[in-house]
């Protein structure tokens, strides 16, 4: 199994669920993580990544870590200083229309969104609310383009788009698609030579459907146009995703693998969870399993069954521990607080 991994955690794209998979694998195999300085949760995002943002890294004695997976704005020459040269690079993409709808609810306080009531209002005259100069503009336009390190306000010429796609292809071994999450996990498992249980997950950091509303077609078209660079990235890598499945696995075997993954997930849900699945934040009984609530989104969580034996309880708890709590736990393990 491969143990040196760079995961570019793209915002609002099921990336917290992928991060949980990496946390569990890393913990189980005693791997080291490239944590943000001081145990924060982002690597000085939205600045481009620098090696010095990583706890325990110094240019005098460059230390390398197995897994880099916290939010960052990608800059490969700096990333290469903190991970072994054999590291596998991957990321995850989401349809930019749903991505922006999610971003709008989640980052309601961001400057571009703070004065509008709806996405429609924002898109009717975006430049009235959106300023390319504001520090949190990226939440409102071409968020994936930004996370990959490019300029979200760049011109959309065919030449520029091609350069961007080629640069991403040169840096990343695999791009997952969040709409095909289970197929993505099968591809990831194959690439990393992991077993099925290593890529099993429960959806984390997902929001209650009461805050989701379908978008009219006119808005969808405006969203695509406004996030044109993201749309180009998404459509290109959605296509190569399926080409890769056809080439490396085949549709028939993919169906079997996805079925096995879903069966295992259902089995773990029956074993671990009270009720059938996720619950509203107010219904989460164990406060240590309550995810951070952000913006206008209601982020769901889970309740574990009572009376599980110790080993099973530990397995189940890891599957449902929200990102911030899990990150803190692993940070303390890797950098134990010094006794006074």
């Amino acid at each position: 199994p491969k143990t040196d991994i760079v995961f570019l955690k793209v915002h609002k794209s099921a990336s917290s669920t992928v991060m949980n998979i990496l946390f569990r694998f890393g913990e189980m195999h005693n791997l080291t993580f490239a944590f943000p300085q001081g145990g924060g949760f982002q690597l000085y995002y939205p600045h481009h990544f620098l090696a010095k943002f990583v706890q325990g890294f110094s240019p005098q004695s460059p230390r390398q870590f197995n897994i880099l997976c916290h939010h960052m704005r990608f800059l490969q020459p700096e990333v290469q200083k903190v991970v072994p040269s054999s590291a596998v690079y991957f990321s995850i993409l989401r349809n930019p229309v749903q991505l922006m709808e999610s971003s709008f609810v989640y980052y309601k306080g961001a400057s571009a969104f703070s004065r509008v009531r709806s996405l429609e209002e924002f898109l009717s005259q975006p430049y009235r609310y959106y300023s390319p100069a504001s520090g949190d503009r990226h939440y409102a336009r071409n968020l994936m383009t930004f996370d990959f390190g490019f300029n979200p306000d760049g011109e959309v010429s065919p030449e520029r788009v091609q350069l961007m796609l080629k640069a991403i292809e040169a840096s990343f071994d695999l791009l997952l698609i969040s709409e095909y999450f289970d197929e993505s996990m099968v591809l990831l498992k194959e690439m990393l030579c992991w077993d099925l249980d290593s890529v099993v997950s429960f959806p984390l950091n997902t929001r209650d459907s009461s805050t989701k509303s379908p978008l009219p077609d006119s808005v969808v078209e405006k969203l695509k146009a406004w996030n044109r660079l993201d749309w180009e990235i998404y459509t290109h890598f959605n296509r190569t995703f399926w080409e890769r499945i056809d080439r490396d696995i085949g549709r028939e075997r993919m169906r079997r693998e996805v079925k096995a993954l879903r069966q295992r997930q259902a089995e773990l849900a029956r074993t671990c969870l009270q009720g059938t699945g996720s619950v509203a934040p107010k219904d989460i009984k164990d406060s240590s399993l309550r995810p951070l609530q952000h913006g206008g989104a209601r982020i769901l969580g889970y309740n574990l069954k009572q009376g599980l034996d110790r080993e099973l309880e530990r397995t189940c708890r890891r599957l449902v521990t929200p990102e911030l709590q899990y990150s803190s736990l692993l940070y303390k393990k890797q950098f134990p607080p010094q006794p006074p």
Side-chain angles (χ1 to χ4, degrees), residues 94 99 136 163-164 185 194 226 247 263 269 276 330:
R94 182 182 184 187
L99 181 110
D136 60 1
L163 280 173
M164 186 171 71
M185 291 305 101
W194 288 8
W226 177 248
R247 189 185 70 229
Q263 281 172 340
T276 49
L330 293 173

Side-chain angles (χ1 to χ4, degrees), residues 97-278:
V97 174
Q98 278 75 47
L99 181 110
M100 187 161 175
E101 188 273 334
S102 175
S103 188
F104 180 79
V105 174
Y106 201 79
Y107 300 111
K108 198 72 193 79
S111 58
F113 295 148
S114 59
R115 307 203 319 277
V116 294
R117 285 184 304 280
S118 67
L119 259 183
E120 275 126 300
E121 191 181 337
F122 174 80
L123 291 162
S124 64
Q125 33 186 345
Y127 282 109
R128 187 177 160 191
Y129 310 106
Y130 175 88
S131 157
S134 83
D136 60 1
R137 76 185 193 288
H138 51 278
Y139 293 124
R141 187 178 203 188
N142 290 318
L143 183 49
M144 294 190 288
T145 302
F146 183 87
D147 285 355
F148 276 94
F150 304 103
N151 174 10
D153 296 302
E155 51 148 349
V156 190
S157 65
E159 297 75 32
R160 193 167 175 278
V161 167
Q162 276 311 306
L163 280 173
M164 186 171 71
L165 297 176
K166 291 269 183 289
I168 294 172
E169 281 178 337
S171 300
F172 288 85
D173 299 289
L174 176 63
L175 287 161
L176 308 175
I177 303 289
S178 67
E179 284 79 11
Y180 304 105
F181 192 81
D182 294 338
E183 290 84 352
S184 292
M185 291 305 101
V186 173
L187 275 184
L188 186 66
K189 167 176 88 75
E190 294 284 304
M191 181 179 74
L192 298 175
C193 307
W194 288 8
D195 62 8
L196 182 70
D197 268 16
S198 297
V199 296
V200 164
S201 63
F202 296 148
L204 294 175
N205 205 27
T206 54
R207 63 189 167 114
D208 178 352
S209 57
S210 70
T211 59
K212 297 179 188 174
S213 49
L215 299 165
D217 291 348
S218 57
V219 173
V220 169
E221 289 313 310
K222 282 181 180 168
L223 275 173
K224 286 182 192 172
W226 177 248
N227 295 288
R228 181 64 194 282
L229 291 170
D230 272 11
W231 186 251
E232 294 285 351
I233 291 175
Y234 179 76
T235 49
H236 176 81
F237 288 107
N238 186 18
R239 194 179 69 245
T240 58
F241 177 84
W242 291 101
E243 285 168 1
R244 183 167 182 150
I245 287 173
D246 290 336
R247 189 185 70 229
D248 296 352
I249 294 184
R251 300 280 170 120
E252 194 38 58
R253 187 174 143 224
M254 178 54 89
R255 271 193 286 275
R256 289 199 305 273
E257 294 265 358
V258 165
K259 190 178 169 194
L261 178 65
R262 286 176 182 164
Q263 281 172 340
R264 181 68 183 126
Q265 270 160 199
E267 185 187 331
L268 277 164
R270 286 193 298 273
T271 306
C272 294
L273 304 178
Q274 277 181 33
T276 49
S278 51

